[in-house]
Amino acid sequence: MKFHDADVLIVGGGLVGCALACALRNTALQVTLVDSHPPAQSWDDATWDSRIYAISPASRRFLTQIGVWERMNANRLQTVARMRIAGDDGRAELGFTAMDAGTDELARIVESRELQRSLWQAASEAPNVTLLAPAQPTALHDEADGKLLALAHGPRLSARLIVGADGVQSWVRTQAGIEEKTTPYQQWGVVANFECEKPHLATASQWFFEDGILAFLPLAGQRMSMVWSCGELRKKELMALSPEALCQEVARAGQHRLGALKPISAAAAFPLRLMHVADLVRPGLALIGDAAHAVHPLAGQGVNLGFGDVMELARILVAEPASRCGEYLVLRRYERARRENVLLMQGVTHGLQKLFNNANPVLRVLRNTGLGLTDQWAWLKHRLIQHAMNA
Ligand SMILES: Cc1cc2nc3c(=O)[nH]c(=O)nc-3n(C[C@H](O)[C@H](O)[C@H](O)COP(=O)(O)OP(=O)(O)OC[C@H]3O[C@@H](n4cnc5c(N)ncnc54)[C@H](O)[C@@H]3O)c2cc1C
């Protein structure tokens, strides 16, 4: 049998790639993770990361199981106990609470950098995991029994399985010749954090406007994180505002629900896209996280979908002898298990985006009526909440 440097070689140590390394810790698999940029390990605690995630209860249970959740600074976490979704007629509103879902929270808000640091530290302590960063892959070759990855100024690494966890512009996916279909939303996600005059009461709020979607996520303390999905013109206007003017504009758009706002992070903007890939696996290769799919952030499910990939792939790999981890038949099980979930989430978020970001007067009536009716139909409301929480 051929000697391999690793059984599983993960390219990309973002939240999803790192989570896979942690999920495979203390198993019979030898794991190597390479990333071109090692994550920051320290920062000024007076600052807040502009990248914030709403972690679903299913993802939180997973992060607890892999020994990551308890590493995070509890003072920086915030429970979401309530959610309010408003239409654009000023009246229609859908509201639900954790109690409606029979649970103690709808989601937990975490800073990206805090979660990334905890994942990286947990992976670095695992005896069967090697972290290589910074390390820049330059070529990927097929071998009879796996893959060979060449690194700039570094060794060539052979592995039975290479996992592309290198984000939406995945180099691994390109090297493998896997086709992707990207549909830009012609929208940007503008994010920024604020201190608020009024308490958020652990409530996440979302407003569906004709030309965009505004979300306020509660942050630890009397703070809030905004995600405003909007078109190019609006994004330019928002990014050109002074911090004080941005506060006023965000407070106005959010109907002054949290009173006056003060900036605590600079605004940043990300392009939004829908992306499908032709294949999630090839012999000796699998894609996870944003390398495998991109969704609109309106449901805050991007990283949760990625953690879903990790749970499934890790479950399948550890159930097999290490020698089989790159086999196509084994990897196809992962692909079959994830395909439907990912397509469903992409379909739901895409449909909502089309329904809500539309000036058509018929659709306007439909969406506002739909929000009101859903609010009244307890059964439908319950099913929607359960689906979002377990995605
Ligand atoms: C505005 C906005 C708001 C969002 N809000 C939410 C939210 O509330 N909740 C949620 O769940 N999701 C949200 N998302 C989605 C979420 O950000 C992504 O789904 C998630 O970050 C994907 O993680 P990843 O590890 O797959 O990829 P990435 O975070 O992109 O990580 C990729 C890693 O690979 C490394 N890398 C890249 N190329 C190479 C290479 N060639 N060689 C080596 N290493 C490489 C990078 O350095 C990086 O570390 C949001 C997205 C946007 C745009």
Side-chain angles (χ1 to χ4, degrees), residues 12 14-16 35-36 51 53 137 166 171 289-290 300-304:
L15 300 179
V16 176
D35 197 297
S36 41
R51 205 68 188 255
Y53 294 108
D166 47 348
W171 175 86
D290 277 18
Q301 290 297 337
V303 84
N304 292 304

Side-chain angles (χ1 to χ4, degrees), residues 10-19 33-39 50-56 59 109-110 112 116 120 132 134-138 149 151 164-172 188-191 217 226-229 268-273 288-307 309:
I10 305 167
V11 177
L15 300 179
V16 176
C18 247
L33 182 151
V34 301
D35 197 297
S36 41
H37 300 94
S50 58
R51 205 68 188 255
I52 301 289
Y53 294 108
I55 300 295
S56 71
S59 294
I109 305 296
V110 306
S112 181
Q116 176 78 67
W120 190 265
L132 295 179
Q136 189 63 54
T138 53
L149 183 76
L151 297 176
D166 47 348
V168 74
Q169 308 284 5
S170 175
W171 175 86
V172 171
W188 293 78
V190 179
V191 295
L217 299 173
M226 167 199 85
V227 184
W228 197 331
S229 310
F270 305 89
L272 305 182
R273 49 170 79 94
I288 59 174
D290 277 18
H293 39 69
V295 293
H296 195 284
L298 70 87
Q301 290 297 337
V303 84
N304 292 304
L305 265 188
F307 289 148
D309 298 344

